[in-house]
Amino acid sequence: MRTIRIYGLIAASLVLSHPSMSSSQEVEPDKEAYDLHCALCHGEDGTGVETLEKIVHVELPHLGSSRVQDLSDSQIRKVILKGKGKMNPVQTISEDEIPGVIAFLRTLKER
């Protein structure tokens, strides 16, 4: 029984220390990756690209809004990888870039 607990603690610490599982506060914001994969639709400051909104008939939420900022890192990661609503999955982003993009999103503020 004790051995099972020890292995469980080791497994939990490995999962929590894995880069893709860490919180955005521990990762450097990656504006370069954001600009490459997200800014075309969401704008450099997260306000959304008005022309795209008109073409696709959708209102993009400001990425600094509470609607987005209240999401957990794993929820944002899921939106990036699977898409949501009219947003398609971001197929060009690598696993290594996602934490930095999420950390950059956390720096955005709604004006």
Side-chain angles (χ1 to χ4, degrees), residues 94-106:
S94 73
E95 285 288 331
D96 293 341
E97 292 172 308
I98 294 173
V101 167
I102 294 171
F104 178 75
L105 283 174
R106 298 294 186 203

Side-chain angles (χ1 to χ4, degrees), residues 27-48:
V27 176
E28 283 293 313
D30 190 347
K31 182 174 181 355
E32 188 175 309
Y34 172 86
D35 287 344
L36 180 65
H37 303 290
C38 311
L40 182 64
C41 298
H42 292 284
E44 288 185 23
D45 60 358
T47 58

Side-chain angles (χ1 to χ4, degrees), residues 54-108:
K54 288 178 182 177
I55 292 170
V56 181
H57 304 288
V58 67
E59 184 177 331
L60 297 171
H62 189 298
L63 297 179
S65 70
S66 60
R67 180 176 164 191
V68 175
Q69 294 294 319
D70 288 348
L71 297 172
S72 69
D73 288 3
S74 63
Q75 289 171 315
I76 294 172
R77 177 178 163 49
K78 183 178 178 183
V79 171
I80 291 169
L81 292 174
K82 299 195 182 278
K84 182 175 182 179
K86 291 186 178 183
M87 179 182 157
N88 292 324
V90 182
Q91 296 180 351
T92 58
I93 197 165
S94 73
E95 285 288 331
D96 293 341
E97 292 172 308
I98 294 173
V101 167
I102 294 171
F104 178 75
L105 283 174
R106 298 294 186 203
T107 70
L108 298 174

Side-chain angles (χ1 to χ4, degrees), residues 10-40:
I10 291 170
S13 67
L14 288 173
V15 166
L16 292 174
S17 66
H18 189 276
S20 66
M21 300 294 183
S22 62
S23 73
S24 61
Q25 290 85 15
E26 299 168 7
V27 176
E28 283 293 313
D30 190 347
K31 182 174 181 355
E32 188 175 309
Y34 172 86
D35 287 344
L36 180 65
H37 303 290
C38 311
L40 182 64

